[in-house]
């Protein structure tokens, strides 16, 4: 339903507010929040959520990929360092 909204920022805000605290802590929810933030143009929040997803599940290749991709928009050096730590 939210993907049908033309205003991506509003869609992200609605999605973000709809998640309960227990759900928000799930790695998959963090990945989804990262994706939604990125699509809405909030690159800082996307990178933050990607890092939270990776912290919640340190073996998640999906989270590590987002840390690199989304983090590169705001801090390429940190994104590379975070992914190097994942690979190590």
């Amino acid at each position: 339903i939210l993907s049908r909204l033309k205003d991506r920022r509003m869609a992200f805000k609605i999605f973000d507010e709809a998640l309960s605290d227990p759900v928000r802590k799930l790695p998959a929810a963090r990945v989804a929040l990262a994706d939604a933030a990125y699509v809405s143009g909030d690159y800082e929040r996307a990178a933050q959520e990607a890092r939270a997803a990776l912290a919640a599940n340190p073996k998640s290749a999906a989270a590590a990929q987002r840390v690199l991709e989304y983090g590169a928009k705001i801090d390429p050096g940190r994104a590379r360092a975070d992914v190097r730590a994942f690979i190590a």
Side-chain angles (χ1 to χ4, degrees):
I1 295 171
L2 294 176
S3 65
R4 299 181 118 195
L5 289 175
K6 292 182 189 226
D7 185 342
R8 299 294 182 200
R9 290 178 189 260
M10 180 58 70
F12 174 65
K13 182 179 179 191
I14 292 168
F15 179 59
D16 187 29
E17 292 174 358
L19 295 179
S20 66
D21 285 335
V23 171
R24 181 179 301 279
K25 293 177 183 174
L26 297 171
R30 294 293 191 173
V31 168
L33 280 166
D35 291 346
Y38 189 81
V39 169
S40 78
D42 189 344
Y43 302 129
E44 181 72 38
R45 178 74 185 274
Q48 174 187 347
E49 293 296 344
R51 287 191 304 273
L54 189 58
N57 183 1
K59 294 184 179 184
S60 173
Q65 180 264 326
R66 285 164 175 83
V67 166
L68 180 60
E69 182 179 350
Y70 300 166
K73 285 274 194 186
I74 56 164
D75 188 346
R78 180 177 182 182
R80 285 190 301 271
D82 289 344
V83 172
R84 281 190 201 107
F86 169 77
I87 294 169

